[in-house]
Amino acid sequence: MNERSDADGVDRIVAQWRRERPDLDPGPVQIVGRITRLHWTLEERLCRVFGRYDLGRGEFDILATLRRSGAPYELTAGQLSGSTMVTSGAVTKRVDRLERAGLVDRRAAEDDGRGRLVRLTDRGLTLVDEVVAEHLRNEARLLSGLTADERDTLADLLRKLGRTLPED
């Protein structure tokens, strides 16, 4: 294999597998390996922003989900669990920490005495608005190496991949 001038670590891994196991097709590593490496890199760089506000990614997710829900910025734990794709136990831990920090509060649901609503406090709303603005600027910076057309194409391809992944 001719070495590309823009070769990266994944290209080297694929070349090694082709040399050592020519009976196998390591081609999928070109995509899955890169997605995995990008995930690790992006996660670290995204969490830097959250850390500046003493938030973890999960806590940011809760605050952002409440903010996106619109006024009065409140949801049930079940709704939060569905929107953040984590278990209700994980939501409870995150909400507990956010409540101790004064960023959310809980109240009984009017239509269900056993149900609880989680609501952004004024302090939580101010904070999440600030964090979201910085987070989106950071994401734009992280994607600045791609043109707008390239970002659109990549978004379309990733959406398609997400829809077409086989179920286990």
Side-chain angles (χ1 to χ4, degrees):
M1 173 179 152
N2 290 339
E3 183 88 11
R4 295 172 52 137
S5 63
D6 63 345
D8 62 8
V10 173
D11 290 317
R12 287 184 285 282
I13 290 168
V14 169
Q16 290 167 338
W17 280 123
R18 284 188 173 135
R19 182 189 68 231
E20 295 299 317
R21 290 291 311 268
D23 57 311
L24 298 176
D25 175 15
V29 174
Q30 294 281 0
I31 295 170
V32 176
R34 282 191 177 89
I35 289 173
T36 301
R37 286 177 175 218
L38 285 168
H39 166 72
W40 294 335
T41 300
L42 290 170
E43 184 71 13
E44 188 272 327
R45 291 181 186 176
L46 294 174
C47 286
R48 283 182 200 168
V49 170
F50 308 140
R52 286 197 280 273
Y53 295 90
D54 196 29
L55 296 172
R57 173 181 269 295
E59 293 150 350
F60 170 76
D61 255 358
I62 296 290
L63 295 174
T65 299
L66 289 167
R67 180 63 175 97
R68 287 191 319 266
S69 73
Y73 313 115
E74 63 183 16
L75 297 169
T76 66
Q79 289 169 318
L80 283 169
S81 182
S83 292
T84 58
M85 297 181 286
V86 297
T87 65
S88 59
V91 166
T92 299
K93 283 183 175 183
R94 292 168 182 173
V95 169
D96 286 347
R97 184 174 185 282
L98 292 168
E99 188 173 37
R100 284 191 303 274
L103 302 174
V104 302
D105 59 29
R106 293 179 173 117
R107 68 175 182 83
E110 293 172 10
D111 59 341
D112 178 4
R114 293 174 297 143
R116 307 286 289 169
L117 290 170
V118 178
R119 180 186 66 85
L120 279 177
T121 62
D122 291 343
R123 183 171 169 221
L125 178 61
T126 299
L127 179 74
V128 73
D129 278 347
E130 185 177 335
V131 178
V132 165
E134 186 174 343
H135 171 63
L136 293 176
R137 283 190 301 272
N138 186 40
E139 285 188 336
R141 182 185 61 79
L142 292 169
L143 297 174
S144 65
L146 301 174
T147 67
D149 286 344
E150 288 169 333
R151 288 191 302 268
D152 289 344
T153 298
L154 181 57
D156 290 342
L157 290 170
L158 291 171
R159 183 181 306 105
K160 181 178 181 179
L161 178 61
R163 281 194 311 260
T164 60
L165 284 176
E167 297 279 332
D168 285 340

